[in-house]
Amino acid sequence: MATVSRPAETPLVLGEVTLADVTRSVAGIVEAKTPRAWWAAFAFTGTLTLVLIAMLTYLVTTGIGVWGNNSPVGWAFDITNFVFWIGIGHAGTLISAILYLFRQRWRTSINRFAEAMTIFAVTCAAMFPLFHVGRPWRAYWLFPVPNQWSGMWPNFRSPLIWDVFAVSTYFTVSLLFWYLGLLPDLATLRDRARSRIRQIVYGVLSLGWRGSARHWRHYEMAYLLLAGLSTPLVLSVHSIVSFDFAVSILPGWHTTIFPPYFVAGAIFSGFAMVVSLMVIARWFFGLEHLVTMKHLENMNKVMLATGLIVGYAYAVEFFIAWYSGNPYERFAFMNRALGPYAWAYWTMVACNVLVPQLFWFRKVRTSVPAMFVISLLVNVGMWFERFVIIVTSLHRDFLPAAWGMFRPTWVDLLTLAGSFGLFLTLFLLFVRFLPMISMSEVKAMMASEEAA
Amino acid sequence: MSVEQTATMAPRVYGVAAEFQSPAELLEAVRKLRQRGYQRLDALTPFPVHGLDEALGLRRSPLGWAALAAGLTGASGALLLQWWTGAVAYPLVVGGKPYFAWQPSVPVTFELAVLLASFAAVLGMLALNGLPRFYHPASNHKRYPRVSDDGFLLIVENDGPAFDAARAAEALRAVGGQHVEVLED
């Protein structure tokens, strides 16, 4: 009888690893003495966070004029940063929800990390529209709550209101999903805790989880439900963000390709951010046996695929601008590629379309320094994509008499840098105090691989 | 002291627990104990063990229905909100658009449906599991901390006056359980 030989699957956990080894290597990070390098990194990102607070304080006490926004460029760094950060978050939900539904088991080592990234990125994102409104203390007017002119309600026909609902729902559901996944691991930390403070803090946070079979049954159902709910949610969020642009009549914004194009771009940039952070974390904390080259290579493949979708979208936009015969649309795109912001456009094309093509080569895909550099360049490119979409469309629209230019002020630049500080500070706190790999899920995967 | 008084003062037995080394041993023990007539069993495991629900005779979680109900509530509440604020309480002409139409109402309706369904899934899970709960008799077992690491505890629960802790302990030992302990409330 002929036998069909199947290539052996690369294991997702390397070496002879027992269940207790998983607990030790993941929980051990949280329990060990704080490394000096962590303090150094924290001092740096903490300083950047203070810069952010200073910039926002200056903004609120002085006025929106400290930013470079003007007429006609009313949306600039603030909305660029908003779309950039919200896009970063999408990889986390993709990994935790969509890959879960598709039974992609390689997700288990990276989902906790990516979900944390989602929450911190959405936190950074939400800050920008809040301060963009100019009077953040009145931002609650966006919610359907009675305000001082009782009887006045938000205009639900506006995409900007849809955005408020989409982003706040996204943040809340991501937080719930993350916490749900953390419960069993918090119980592990509680049971291993030596000091009284740790026992109390992790004890309260784990809500008395004890891993009863009756509990796991409801828990797994809740997890499946949240994965099923988060999947359409994540697609809706960036679609709705793209409606902010697509529903307007501005050339360069008013296109039907925006929702899928934005979602693909979001996943692209999010995966790039996961890779950038993960290669540092796995090296620093010695997690190479749990986050293997296979995980990294799979993420690089996702980047290659979504990068191609993004490149395709850039091409189709140009084609439609020509094919539509609309002179304003044609101008908007010629102006993007050849106008005063051409440098930004070509930075975007180089970083998002050309550079990821290197991932066709296995050698590049499996080289840690190469993927680190490429993932950073992708993030630069994706930031410029939003900048190009927003600023080049706004600065020259229908009437040449109303054309203008946007130049960022030092406040704009420091606020952007500060948002990275906040993001990285939250991340450092996460890797210090919470298990960055889902221990219960890795153990379940190991048990099922053993049984298979 | 009367007999009743001593009965109420003695700590109530919650059940008898034993440790097993692997999911396979645990499943085997559950099957054997159920054949012997022990129906009220529970297992504490570091991760959801495949096939344990069936072995313990647990039914499918009804959580999906709770999420569905909450999702429908969210969706209808959102539609009602958008219609009432836009067409009744505060009708405002914006760009000549109708006061209420379903098309622009889709995003907010969808988001609120997802929001409420997610809360129902998580809070429903906690409610069905009786969490948060900061004390449980099982935590008195000296191997309990291993349950969140790599240990598997099987508990034969006290299911009424006919329950005999000594016999349950014997049964657990017979199916390969180690560290057999009586759990008191």
Side-chain angles (χ1 to χ4, degrees):
Chain A
M1 209 172 95
T3 52
V4 182
S5 69
R6 266 194 332 175
E9 282 263 333
T10 322
L12 293 169
V13 174
L14 293 180
E16 289 287 308
V17 180
T18 64
L19 298 180
D21 289 337
V22 175
T23 316
R24 252 196 308 278
S25 40
V26 178
I29 296 168
V30 180
E31 290 154 355
K33 201 170 163 294
T34 311
R36 292 177 84 96
W38 186 92
W39 280 114
F42 188 74
F44 176 69
T45 64
T47 310
L48 271 182
T49 310
L50 291 177
V51 169
L52 174 72
I53 293 169
M55 289 304 109
L56 294 177
T57 311
Y58 179 49
L59 173 85
V60 170
T61 52
T62 315
I64 283 289
V66 301
W67 283 347
N69 302 30
N70 54 41
S71 182
V73 189
W75 289 4
F77 262 43
D78 42 5
I79 304 301
T80 302
N81 297 342
F82 162 67
V83 181
F84 171 77
W85 279 118
I86 203 117
I88 295 289
H90 279 41
T93 321
L94 183 101
I95 291 168
S96 59
I98 301 182
L99 296 185
Y100 177 78
L101 296 182
F102 282 116
R103 297 279 180 265
Q104 293 291 309
R105 292 196 310 189
W106 60 274
R107 74 180 262 290
T108 41
S109 296
I110 52 171
N111 69 330
R112 166 77 43 75
F113 197 80
E115 284 167 35
M117 189 193 71
T118 296
I119 291 163
F120 306 147
V122 177
T123 306
C124 290
M127 181 180 77
F128 284 100
L130 178 69
F131 286 94
H132 171 83
V133 300
R135 296 180 189 177
W137 54 95
R138 285 184 181 166
Y140 73 93
W141 287 5
L142 290 161
F143 288 99
V145 288
N147 49 52
Q148 70 253 52
W149 300 308
S150 58
M152 200 178 92
W153 294 95
N155 172 21
F156 282 104
R157 288 159 290 182
S158 162
L160 300 181
I161 282 291
W162 307 343
D163 221 9
V164 172
F165 280 79
V167 173
S168 49
T169 300
Y170 184 47
F171 181 76
T172 314
V173 173
S174 300
L175 199 61
L176 284 175
F177 201 7
W178 190 55
Y179 188 57
L180 182 72
L182 270 169
L183 268 186
D185 284 3
L186 289 169
T188 303
L189 291 179
R190 169 201 67 199
D191 294 341
R192 288 168 60 93
R194 295 273 166 75
S195 78
R196 192 78 195 128
I197 288 184
R198 293 181 89 90
Q199 282 172 347
I200 291 173
V201 171
Y202 289 122
V204 169
L205 286 177
S206 59
L207 304 178
W209 179 264
R210 60 181 189 277
S212 154
R214 293 185 199 137
H215 291 185
W216 280 120
R217 171 178 60 132
H218 297 305
Y219 176 90
E220 286 200 284
M221 180 58 83
Y223 202 90
L224 179 66
L225 284 169
L226 278 194
L229 289 164
S230 302
T231 298
L233 176 66
V234 68
L235 301 179
S236 86
V237 172
H238 231 59
S239 298
I240 291 175
V241 169
S242 81
F243 290 163
D244 291 345
F245 305 97
V247 174
S248 76
I249 54 161
L250 198 69
W253 285 7
H254 187 58
T255 51
T256 48
I257 201 178
F258 262 25
Y261 161 29
F262 268 52
V263 171
I267 292 165
F268 183 46
S269 65
F271 267 86
M273 189 63 100
V274 179
V275 169
S276 309
L277 297 172
M278 198 43 132
V279 294
I280 299 176
R282 86 193 257 282
W283 163 74
F284 186 75
F285 293 110
L287 292 169
E288 282 97 343
H289 58 302
L290 294 177
V291 183
T292 65
M293 189 50 78
K294 183 178 178 182
H295 294 105
L296 297 176
E297 193 186 349
N298 279 358
M299 288 196 276
N300 293 338
K301 285 181 185 167
V302 173
M303 259 197 266
L304 177 59
T306 46
L308 287 172
I309 299 176
V310 167
Y312 171 76
Y314 297 160
V316 166
E317 274 191 322
F318 261 85
F319 172 75
I320 294 294
W322 167 75
Y323 186 67
S324 67
N326 180 335
Y328 298 104
E329 193 76 17
R330 277 187 193 179
F331 173 78
F333 280 89
M334 291 311 284
N335 183 48
R336 259 185 207 180
L338 304 170
Y341 290 107
W343 60 273
Y345 182 81
W346 294 108
T347 307
M348 166 192 102
V349 171
C351 292
N352 290 351
V353 186
L354 300 180
V355 169
Q357 301 309 318
L358 290 169
F359 281 144
W360 285 108
F361 302 102
R362 195 189 167 81
K363 259 220 161 76
V364 179
R365 250 185 357 244
T366 54
S367 152
V368 169
M371 73 177 85
F372 183 67
V373 173
I374 293 174
S375 64
L376 288 181
L377 286 175
V378 166
N379 268 315
V380 170
M382 284 308 295
W383 187 88
F384 272 104
E385 179 194 298
R386 281 63 175 251
F387 179 82
V388 164
I389 291 172
I390 291 169
V391 173
T392 67
S393 304
L394 281 171
H395 91 118
R396 290 181 175 176
D397 63 358
F398 302 99
L399 273 182
W403 286 1
M405 283 296 285
F406 166 78
R407 269 176 211 87
T409 62
W410 61 275
V411 184
D412 277 315
L413 293 167
L414 286 181
T415 309
L416 171 60
S419 72
F420 275 92
L422 175 64
F423 176 74
L424 294 171
T425 302
L426 291 170
F427 222 96
L428 284 170
L429 291 172
F430 159 68
V431 298
R432 190 73 209 96
F433 294 107
L434 292 171
M436 73 177 101
I437 290 178
S438 175
M439 292 181 275
S440 65
E441 283 188 43
V442 170
K443 288 173 192 169
M445 187 196 68
M446 286 165 62
S448 71
E449 283 203 332
E450 204 168 288
Chain B
M1 232 188 246
S2 76
V3 179
E4 288 119 49
Q5 269 175 325
T6 23
T8 50
M9 280 178 72
R12 207 183 73 89
V13 171
Y14 171 80
V16 184
E19 194 192 9
F20 292 84
Q21 293 306 317
S22 74
E25 280 179 35
L26 177 75
L27 279 170
E28 192 55 31
V30 168
R31 289 199 191 101
K32 283 184 183 157
L33 285 178
R34 279 175 66 89
Q35 275 167 9
R36 291 187 180 204
Y38 288 103
Q39 297 303 319
R40 269 193 73 82
L41 302 175
D42 194 7
L44 307 190
T45 60
F47 53 85
V49 172
H50 190 71
L52 193 56
D53 295 5
E54 292 81 5
L56 287 168
L58 296 174
R59 276 174 300 133
R60 194 179 155 84
S61 170
L63 211 50
W65 297 106
L68 177 68
L72 290 174
T73 309
S76 42
L79 278 176
L80 204 65
L81 171 77
Q82 292 174 86
W83 163 78
W84 183 75
T85 56
V88 180
Y90 188 57
L92 187 70
V93 179
V94 179
K97 286 178 266 186
Y99 292 129
F100 178 78
W102 67 269
Q103 292 89 341
S105 309
V106 169
V108 171
T109 306
F110 173 78
E111 299 300 333
L112 283 182
V114 168
L115 184 67
L116 265 68
S118 303
F119 268 108
V122 174
L123 297 181
M125 184 277 287
L126 293 178
L128 286 171
N129 289 345
L131 298 175
R133 172 176 180 173
F134 294 108
Y135 169 72
H136 190 272
S139 60
N140 295 328
H141 195 286
K142 72 171 183 296
R143 305 288 283 179
Y144 173 78
R146 282 198 58 198
V147 161
S148 61
D149 182 6
D150 65 346
F152 301 83
L153 275 192
L154 179 56
I155 308 173
V156 178
E157 290 182 2
N158 181 351
D159 57 356
F163 181 76
D164 180 347
R167 278 191 52 202
E170 199 45 53
L172 276 169
R173 263 185 219 105
V175 297
Q178 293 160 324
H179 303 284
V180 179
E181 280 180 34
V182 175
L183 304 174
E184 286 172 348
D185 219 341

